[in-house]
Amino acid sequence: QVQLVESGGGSVQAGGSLRLACAVSGYTFNRGYMGWFRQAPGKEREGVAAIGFVASSTRYVDSVKGRFTISQDAAKKLLYLEMNNLKLEDTAMYYCAAGLNGGLANALSPGRYTYWGQGTQVTVSS
């Protein structure tokens, strides 16, 4: 049974930093792509960052480029999202996902993923 468990969310002031982690079990970690997504109240879920394990290729949504970094620790089966210079608009529930149906071009599309965690809340205040 595949399980993804996010942690590391919290409340932070604008300009601050957080590091999210996703613990993976029951899934071949170093295969295909995994991603981070977020969903704010009243908005659709959007892809934030994705990483491919074979070539360590990454993709980011434009709004987080230069501020967020996705990485992975294959030995510990952890996926990370380092978030710096957080902005009010980064406030959302953040989810990790695995089991992408497709390649890098689809890696930020929520509908392409099979497995999801329960989410961790990130709240940025002024």
Side-chain angles (χ1 to χ4, degrees), residues 14-28:
S17 299
L18 285 173
R19 187 174 80 157
L20 306 183
C22 175
V24 182
S25 61
Y27 181 76
T28 303

Side-chain angles (χ1 to χ4, degrees), residues 37-119:
F37 296 78
R38 65 187 180 187
Q39 188 166 18
K43 294 189 176 182
E44 293 186 354
R45 190 169 297 189
E46 69 165 345
V48 175
I51 185 167
F53 294 103
V54 175
S56 294
S57 53
T58 57
R59 278 195 68 190
Y60 297 91
V61 67
D62 286 346
S63 61
V64 307
K65 286 180 180 177
R67 300 189 298 121
F68 290 12
T69 303
I70 188 171
S71 62
Q72 51 91 12
D73 184 330
K76 296 181 179 179
K77 301 191 76 174
L78 289 169
L79 181 72
Y80 297 108
L81 185 68
E82 184 78 32
M83 305 186 295
N84 298 314
N85 190 22
L86 282 160
K87 302 178 179 181
L88 298 179
E89 53 264 39
D90 294 320
T91 295
M93 186 72 80
Y94 283 71
Y95 302 88
C96 67
L100 173 68
N101 178 16
L104 187 61
N106 305 119
L108 294 182
S109 300
R112 291 279 190 164
Y113 285 82
T114 302
Y115 307 106
W116 292 86
Q118 83 290 347

